[in-house]
Amino acid sequence: MLGTTPARPAPRPRAGHRRPHRAVLLPVVAVVVLSASACAPRIGVPVAEDAANPLCADVVLAVPDALAEDLPKVGTTSQATAAWGEPRAAVTLRCGVEVPGPTTTACQSVESTSGTVDWLVVEDGEGTWTFTTYGRDPAVQVVVPPTVAENHSTSFVADLTPAVLEVPQTRACVGAADAG
């Protein structure tokens, strides 16, 4: 029999050296992850109608770990959301809110080193500020509660520019550069 080689037996594991079975590792990993996340505060943020839009995932993945240097990012309870601060005193972001049409609401172009985002800015008379992107679909909304606004300038919305730029601009505020 020319050209054939005898079959080798499969290598045997060395004594005392066993590979853990995947079925054993998965429950252990799940318990560790769930235990760690159970201690972290989570902010209840209502889900937006278009939260399942794939661009919202890109936005949320690009948000910063902190706003205004002293508002750390915290977990949220809904898809396509983010929050910074403490429960009952957190800045919240929702992606997928209703896209604003033409409006007379104050529209402000906020510039940062990474680009410009147009925001519709509304103050409710009780100290809550709401910023909603203009000219982007899906739209992103940021709510700044009075407990944060009384100690911070809302200029930290500029920190959200890299995340919001994940959604292409299709329109601009009147007086702003024409986006096409």
Side-chain angles (χ1 to χ4, degrees):
M1 295 201 190
L2 294 173
T4 61
T5 57
R8 291 183 160 174
R12 291 185 172 185
R14 294 181 293 201
H17 181 70
R18 295 179 53 191
R19 290 177 42 196
H21 193 300
R22 265 190 203 173
V24 173
L25 286 179
L26 289 177
V28 172
V29 170
V31 168
V32 171
V33 169
L34 289 175
S35 297
S37 65
C39 298
R42 299 184 69 73
I43 307 293
V45 181
V47 68
E49 185 175 305
D50 195 20
N53 188 310
L55 290 173
C56 285
D58 295 338
V59 169
V60 172
L61 289 172
V63 298
D65 291 333
L67 291 178
E69 297 182 13
D70 64 337
L71 297 170
K73 186 176 172 193
V74 293
T76 61
T77 58
S78 300
Q79 176 179 341
T81 63
W84 298 264
E86 301 174 8
R88 293 177 297 285
V91 174
T92 58
L93 175 145
R94 298 186 315 144
C95 183
V97 298
E98 185 176 341
V99 175
T103 182
T104 58
T105 301
C107 189
Q108 185 172 9
S109 296
V110 177
E111 296 181 27
S112 78
T113 56
S114 51
T116 302
V117 173
D118 291 342
W119 297 95
L120 298 178
V121 183
V122 177
E123 195 270 330
D124 71 356
E126 296 182 22
T128 298
W129 289 88
T130 302
F131 297 81
T132 306
T133 56
Y134 182 77
R136 296 177 191 270
D137 186 358
V140 175
Q141 184 178 74
V142 176
V143 177
V144 182
T147 51
V148 173
E150 65 190 24
N151 297 318
H152 296 83
S153 161
T154 57
S155 64
F156 58 70
V157 297
D159 298 344
L160 298 170
T161 298
V164 172
L165 290 175
E166 294 292 328
V167 178
Q169 183 176 8
T170 58
R171 291 178 294 164
C173 291
V174 174
D178 185 9

